[in-house]
Every structure is written in C-alpha cells, then in structure tokens.
Amino acid sequence: MLQQYFTPIEDKTIYKPHQIGACLEKYVTHFPEVGNNNIALFGTKDEHGSAAVVRKHLYTLVSNTSFEKRVVDLGDIPCGTTPAETNLAIQTVTEELLGLGAIPLLLGDHLDQGEALYKAFEGKPEQIELSLISAHLPLLEYELLHRICTREPNYLKNINAIGFQAPYVPPHALNMLENLNFNHYRLGNLKTQLDETEIYLRNATLTLFDLNAIRHVDAPGTRIVQANGLTGEEACQLARYAGHSDSLRGYALLGFDASKDNRELTAALCAQLIWYFVDGVVHRVQDMLGTHEDFVKYRCDFSTDDVPILFIKSNRTARWWMSIEHPADPTNTNEKITVPCTYLDYQQAANGDTPQRYLDTLKKLS
C-alpha cells in the first residue's frame, strides 16, 4: 500500500563504498521493505525539487552499519492539487509506517505539514507530547498549535516550544502557552544552556523542526528570513537530542525552499540534521524510567509546607527526573507526576531553594 503514494528517486550517481548513497536502501527501482525499528525517510515533491537536493548531500555523507540496517528512503509524495490533499497523503503514509513499527522522518516544505504527522498519532493508547523547534509560536487562532490544541477528541498531553524569539511572539500567544502550562525554552536560554534543551525533547512523541529556527547565514533556503537564530552546530545538537529520546516516534524537518538556497547550504545542513538524528536514534540506551533498575533516588524535604521532591538520577546517562506528589493528596499515586529535570534543579532543592521547574510542574497538578 505504501508504494502507491511515492515517486521513485532519480539517482544515477556512483558513490564510494563508505558513503550513504552506496549502502542505503532506497526507492530507485524497487520499493524498500519497511520493518520494525526502521527509520523511514520520505519527502514531499515540490516544484523546486527540494527533497532531491537534500538527498544529493545526504548520500555523500559517511555511512556506517547504522544507516545500512536502520534507514530506508521511500522517495517523495507528489504534492496534491491542494495542501489538504498533500497532508492527507502524509497522514496516511505516517499511519502505515507507525503500524509497521517504523519511525517516520519527513522532509517537508511547510510547517503546516506537521499537523498531518500529528493526526497520524491520534487514537493511540498513549497521549501525544509534541516538541516544536521554531523561531515563532503559532498559537494564535487558525495557526498550527492552536489547531492542534483545539482538536476534538484531544489526545495532546503536552507541548514543548523550543527556540522561539520574543520579537516574533505576540503577548497573547505567550500568555496562552503559560496558561495552558506548556513548557517553553526561549532562544536566549538555549544559547546559554544548550544541554538543558534535552529535557524538552526527552519525552516527546513527535518533534517538528521548523527550519526558520536557524539563522539566515546558516540556512538561507527557508520561507522566512531570520536575522538571529540557531547556528548550524546548535541545530545538529538538537537533532541528535531528538533522535536519542527513547519515546520519540516521529520527526520532521519543515520549511526548506530550494529556490532560495543558491549555494545549497541549507540542503547540506538538512543532510547533516538527518545524519545526527539517525545517530541519536541508533545510540538510544533505553533509559526511560521503568526500563531498568540502575537509578539513584534523592529525597529533598523542605522546612516549609512544600511537598517533598523525589529526584531520580540514571547511572547510565546521568539524566535527572523529579517526582512530585499532589499537595492536596500526596498518597494518591495517580496524582503523582514525574518530569525530566537537571542537576541544577536538584542542587537548588538540596540547598533549600524551590526550583522554578517544581513550581511550574505543580501548576499541572492543580
């Protein structure tokens, strides 16, 4: 059923044995077999051939057994006569891939295609945690996040907004984000503490990477010109964080426009983002709570009326979580919430200070 949605890849290049193009199973003449744990790369075929330009750069990168065994390239979905037709095809393909146990990796030309991916996750037993890396915060009426938040029935558990810039965010949108108790991490925070961004990607079911989050000098081939933003190196680190998340089941790079990418710099960066995402996936260590017993627990009690915090540290990766009881019903385990945190949060609590992340988490319990 999958093959009918795709057009084959046009690629007659002779690659060196160590390059991805020489070993990656791709739809040139025969459609790849998609199995459990495959990363299934596919694009949308726009008038500028954006996905094809990215492949040109991706296929020349260095390969290893991870790419050979885990990644398949399905080709491109032709754009429909309307965006709705294209999005329906993306949703249908993604649903099929999820049913096969694969991780969809979409290279799309517009942020709104992320909604099609999101819809494919609806109706599953678990709720959806969405991470959006973008310079903007599309929460106003009719925008992407607003549409997702107002869908009925609603399967959304949480949103993590990462890398947004204050000059592009209307106060009303930011107020909505805070009133809904969704997580957010501004570009300025990210620049000073990049490693903390990992906790906003750790529990994500789906991560959408809007390429306009990257500054124009590093990624000129986007729909919107960004004077400031992520550097290429920072973007690659975020891609690896996303792939390394044990809970992530879908990923997308959105907003690439090859017609504005004269030197193919953005295409080359997208290829590296895919490479680092895959590298993160293949180096997962199954480090979520409940998957192993190699954890250390630290309990912090306060002299005030604040509920004690149980901090949990993984000896495998040095990741931290904090488990918080409901202030009004501390014995009810169903009301307990466990969220990713940092070592700094633990240090603050151990010194008798209340971490801001703890206060933010209490809002979700109230």
Side-chain angles (χ1 to χ4, degrees):
M1 289 182 61
L2 279 172
Q3 184 173 353
Q4 65 180 316
Y5 290 97
F6 293 97
T7 58
I9 299 164
E10 298 179 5
D11 183 27
K12 298 181 180 180
T13 306
I14 305 299
Y15 298 99
K16 298 177 181 178
H18 65 272
Q19 292 179 320
I20 290 173
C23 61
L24 181 73
E25 188 176 357
K26 52 186 181 290
Y27 182 25
V28 177
T29 55
H30 301 288
F31 194 75
E33 182 178 348
V34 182
N36 190 36
N37 291 325
N38 273 139
I39 300 168
L41 171 65
F42 65 100
T44 53
K45 191 170 186 178
D46 63 15
E47 59 183 326
H48 308 298
S50 300
V53 183
V54 173
R55 285 190 180 90
K56 183 176 77 171
H57 291 272
L58 176 64
Y59 288 175
T60 60
L61 298 180
V62 173
S63 179
N64 51 41
T65 55
S66 301
F67 274 89
E68 295 176 30
K69 296 178 180 179
R70 297 293 299 276
V71 184
V72 292
D73 192 341
L74 306 182
D76 295 327
I77 296 175
C79 289
T81 54
T82 65
E85 288 185 4
T86 306
N87 289 346
L88 180 58
I90 292 172
Q91 179 183 343
T92 305
V93 165
T94 303
E95 289 173 348
E96 182 76 13
L97 291 172
L98 292 175
L100 294 170
I103 299 175
L105 198 173
L106 170 65
L107 182 62
D109 61 350
H110 198 285
L111 178 61
D112 283 348
Q113 291 171 349
E115 185 178 9
L117 282 179
Y118 177 85
K119 289 180 180 178
F121 285 87
E122 293 182 323
K124 304 294 188 297
E126 66 277 4
Q127 288 185 295
I128 306 166
E129 179 153 336
L130 172 67
S131 289
L132 172 65
I133 304 169
S134 177
H136 299 258
L137 190 59
L139 250 177
L140 298 182
E141 192 171 8
Y142 304 120
E143 292 184 324
L144 174 66
L145 294 184
H146 186 275
R147 296 197 303 272
I148 288 175
C149 290
T150 55
R151 288 184 59 77
E152 293 292 342
N154 198 293
Y155 298 93
L156 181 66
K157 177 181 181 181
N158 188 32
I159 288 177
N160 303 291
I162 302 167
F164 65 88
Q165 301 180 37
Y168 301 120
V169 178
H172 178 55
L174 187 56
N175 290 338
M176 284 182 61
L177 187 76
E178 293 176 343
N179 291 337
L180 292 169
N181 295 322
F182 291 147
N183 299 327
H184 56 279
Y185 201 56
R186 298 169 183 261
L187 179 67
N189 299 122
L190 185 153
K191 288 287 186 180
T192 56
Q193 291 181 302
L194 178 62
D195 56 344
E196 189 168 327
T197 315
E198 183 272 334
I199 68 173
Y200 298 98
L201 295 164
R202 189 185 304 175
N203 287 348
T205 314
L206 171 65
T207 293
L208 306 178
F209 198 136
D210 185 354
L211 293 173
N212 77 18
I214 307 172
R215 62 184 185 178
H216 181 76
V217 68
D218 285 6
T222 57
R223 290 177 173 270
I224 302 173
V225 175
Q226 295 296 150
N228 295 308
L230 300 171
T231 65
E233 293 89 345
E234 291 164 343
C236 288
Q237 183 63 68
L238 296 188
R240 195 179 191 283
Y241 283 152
H244 201 53
S245 163
D246 292 315
S247 64
L248 190 83
R249 298 179 59 203
Y251 185 70
L253 299 176
L254 303 168
F256 175 49
D257 184 351
S259 66
K260 299 179 180 179
D261 197 29
N262 295 331
R263 300 291 298 275
E264 299 185 0
L265 176 61
T266 315
L269 179 56
C270 286
Q272 290 198 13
L273 291 173
I274 294 170
W275 193 99
Y276 279 102
F277 172 77
V278 174
D279 188 63
V281 172
V282 300
H283 286 97
R284 290 178 178 180
V285 292
Q286 297 302 311
D287 193 44
M288 299 296 288
L289 295 176
T291 58
H292 63 90
E293 300 297 326
D294 197 10
F295 294 95
V296 180
K297 297 181 180 180
Y298 305 87
R299 186 179 179 90
C300 291
D301 295 287
F302 298 99
S303 58
T304 64
D305 294 331
D306 288 335
V307 177
I309 308 176
L310 179 65
F311 285 92
I312 306 168
K313 177 189 175 183
S314 169
N315 285 331
R316 288 187 178 182
T317 61
R319 289 171 171 167
W320 287 80
W321 291 261
M322 59 180 173
S323 182
I324 303 172
E325 301 167 348
H326 196 293
D329 193 5
T331 61
N332 188 346
T333 56
N334 292 327
E335 292 291 338
K336 184 183 295 184
I337 186 170
T338 302
V339 297
C341 67
T342 66
Y343 177 54
L344 179 60
D345 293 317
Y346 167 70
Q347 286 181 309
Q348 289 178 329
N351 290 329
D353 298 325
T354 304
Q356 183 61 45
R357 203 179 319 278
Y358 165 82
L359 298 175
D360 293 338
T361 305
L362 280 183
K363 296 177 185 177
K364 298 182 181 182
L365 285 171
S366 60

